[in-house]
Amino acid sequence: MTLQPNTKIIDDNAISAEAEEFFAADTQTSESTKTASNDSSATVTKKPFPVLSDKALYGLAGDVVKIIEPHTEAAVIALLAQLLAGFGNLIGMTAHFRIGADYHYLKIFLVLVGATARGRKGTSWSEIERVLLRVDESFINCIQNGLSSGEGLIHHVRDEQIASRPIKDRGIITGYQDEIVDAGATEKRAFVIEPEFARVLQVMKREGNTLSSVIRQAWDTDRLRVMTKNPIKATGAHISITGHITDTELIRNLEKTETANGFANRFNWLSVSLSKYLPDGGNLQESDLNGVVSRLQDAARFARNTLELKRDAAASKLWHQVYRRLSDGYGGLLGAVSSRATAQVMRFACLYALLDLSNVIRLEHLQAALALWQYCEDSAKYIFGITSGDKAADEIVAALEKSKDGMSRTEINSLFNRNRSSIDNEATLQVLIEMNRIVKTEEKTGGRPREIFKVLPDDNNELNELSASESQKNRLNSFNSFNSLDKQQTENQCPHCCVEYSRHSDGTPFCQFCFDTK
């Protein structure tokens, strides 16, 4: 079952404006406040709490959220993100998009980050679970919790296990026969909801624990395996994970290893807070949900009969304009937790398309996905700020921020009470210089010059935004120059979409996205 989208005239100016709006949202200036102490002053950057664009509430997903929202204290973003994640798991391993040889099924990993009670994280999931179970009653068998080991996660979606048993005749082995020792899991979908995600991060620290590795496998592929004495494996596994945690617990428990090995960037980290006060609770009736439940059921049936999704010409044009921005990302800890932007955005876009009963990703679907990703990225900035991911580096920066005149190498070494070698400190200082977090200057003395390290202003920081206008101009110029260079380098590219021409059977080149003929 397929639906063909209506043919639309591509408005180049509108798409360029959309790209500019995306860049502008990305480069909103931070709130800075001056703090003073007895002997120093420093500029402390305070990130504004993320704001969700209305564009993220596009289509059916937005309609569901708008019905629930007046009756709950949960954040709109928590409702939206968990609805998309739940729907992506509910439909199973069917609809997907491809990047090269990699198949991306619509598995969303996300973590809601907010205060223990005020975040209303658990409340938000209860509302979405209520809807999804009406869409598909069997989804109750998919909902799991209690992540503790990689083997345990695989067990819930494990394959059939067959062992070879000897055939004996009067005590003599005359042959062998296969015997099913474990029928395996009949349900290959697993929607893991972890209300105490801090516990998951803690168990991953245990020596020999395979949970981090298997979670990374689960995001990447449907084939899960750990090589142990009694190996267990799963194929066709369709796993999604949603966690709830406070920001303090997250910073305390997210190990440097997990940010470096790609665990963190497979998750979308979303800041959530109380949306309103409802002393008497909500008054959402089951009948209020009848319309959207019916539409979700139609969307689920459609999605289960859809395979590969592709972008249409208009969506492709916008994608080419934002692709470099999404790919380049940031440095430090912020970059480590948000560096899979392209794949995350496309998974979101596919879900918006399927909810629209479309097997083609249209411009409005990509716009919604970009708006949602912008919230994810802004949340990462809010949660992780400009930290490098290295505790020693962050301690050095914090000390330099308090020092009006900077610090010498000796003073920096004394921060660690000689528990850290000068060689390690030198390496950390070099990394901070390369990240444009600090600068090294020299002061003349009677003999050898004295090295002084100072923190750079926020606008020179690789992890912070430039001013909105300057950054937007630079990034758009980088896109334009990049595309212009490509056009000059080869005549085999479409001047509109900047992709290589395909060719008709007679050899005539044409663009497969906008169908422009050379």
Side-chain angles (χ1 to χ4, degrees), residues 244-297:
H244 301 165
I245 195 171
T246 68
D247 50 0
T248 303
E249 290 174 324
L250 175 58
I251 297 300
R252 182 191 304 133
N253 291 292
L254 188 62
E255 290 285 301
K256 185 177 179 181
T257 301
E258 304 309 334
T259 60
N261 67 14
F263 171 87
N265 62 36
R266 286 169 169 84
F267 284 84
N268 297 288
W269 306 90
L270 300 168
S271 295
V272 297
S273 64
L274 186 75
S275 65
K276 67 182 77 65
Y277 291 99
L278 296 176
D280 298 319
N283 188 33
L284 183 64
Q285 304 299 313
E286 290 298 327
S287 58
D288 297 333
L289 297 168
N290 288 345
V292 291
V293 166
S294 178
R295 292 167 63 193
L296 284 168
Q297 289 172 335

Side-chain angles (χ1 to χ4, degrees), residues 45 148 278 411 438 474 488 501 518:
T45 301
S148 60
L278 296 176
E411 290 170 327
I438 65 172
N474 290 346
Q488 293 169 4
Y501 278 119
K518 183 178 177 182

Side-chain angles (χ1 to χ4, degrees), residues 323-349:
Y323 183 78
R324 174 179 282 193
R325 155 68 187 83
L326 292 172
S327 299
D328 287 350
Y330 299 89
L333 182 56
L334 175 57
V337 301
S338 62
S339 59
R340 292 183 188 268
T342 54
Q344 302 283 18
V345 168
M346 283 302 300
R347 291 189 185 194
F348 291 152

Side-chain angles (χ1 to χ4, degrees), residues 58 84 87 106 299 302 309-310 346-362 364-366 368:
Y58 169 83
L84 291 174
F87 183 79
L106 308 185
F302 177 83
L309 288 89
K310 294 184 178 181
M346 283 302 300
R347 291 189 185 194
F348 291 152
C350 287
L351 288 167
Y352 280 111
L354 293 172
L355 289 168
D356 236 5
L357 303 183
S358 174
N359 61 359
V360 175
I361 299 167
R362 301 196 297 270
E364 54 267 33
H365 305 142
L366 182 55

